[in-house]
Amino acid sequence: STKAKLQVELYKTVQFYNGLAVKALKTENGFEITTDSGDVFTARKVLFATGVKDLLPEIKGFTDCWGISVLHCPYCHGYEVKNEKTAIIANGEMGFEFAKLISNWTKDLRLCTNGKSELKSEQIEILQKNSVLILEEEIDSFEHNSGYISNIIFKNGEKIDVKAIYARVPFEQHCPLPKDLGCEINEQGYLKVDFMQKTNIPGIYASGDATTQMRSVALAVSTGSFAGAVINKELIDENFV
């Protein structure tokens, strides 16, 4: 926010730079970062707090509703839509586990597999026992009002009314530079860090959404703050010789 930026600018050792980092190299004494303007910055340590980029499906209305009424996480948004008529867009094992999770927030629940179901027979039996309606029709579009969903429209012309949708969409690292530098990415697609926020490359740290599925400001701030303290301590140790 503007207020936060003004507070940070009180510290004369901090400078804001408006530019895109497009190239990163490991050097003898640290790292070299080049921007799209051709400016080059050098540093002994680098902290990536660059987040991830969601890859949204080509369902008309999905992008408009994303983060408003089409949600990725009940722990972030579930309270606001608890007990509402809700749909989940997922299939197979993920669909079953997601439906089980969301049933804690609402019992008025539909699982849209958006095509032929990949659920196991025993999973279908458990879902039906818990009053989860399974819909296999392919989705065409969403009807909504400024991002607030009202109906899911299927390709066969049918539609259902809902107030909220949960969806797990694929994502990619927002910044390719950690991978270019050799930083390891785990099976889920996040930068792999240890409890000190260190990547597998000495001198490179990462924090926030780029490292974890728990997307919250509180967690991003805490991991970034901790990484800053660790970096500061390492620089002190390196200078105290």
Side-chain angles (χ1 to χ4, degrees), residues 2 11-12 32 77 82 102 111 115 168-169 171 174 182 184 201 213 224 238:
T2 302
Y11 296 88
K12 302 306 178 185
E32 185 177 279
H77 306 282
K82 68 176 184 176
I102 302 304
L111 176 58
R168 291 274 170 85
V169 301
F171 67 88
H174 194 266
E184 187 177 346
I201 302 298
Q213 63 182 344
E238 290 171 8

Side-chain angles (χ1 to χ4, degrees), residues 137-164:
E137 291 80 8
E138 292 187 10
I139 297 170
D140 178 71
S141 59
F142 296 160
E143 286 183 347
H144 66 94
N145 183 14
S146 299
Y148 290 93
I149 187 81
S150 57
N151 292 289
I152 297 176
I153 311 298
F154 296 98
K155 289 185 178 180
N156 64 0
E158 296 179 3
K159 70 178 182 179
I160 58 169
D161 62 303
V162 294
K163 293 296 183 183

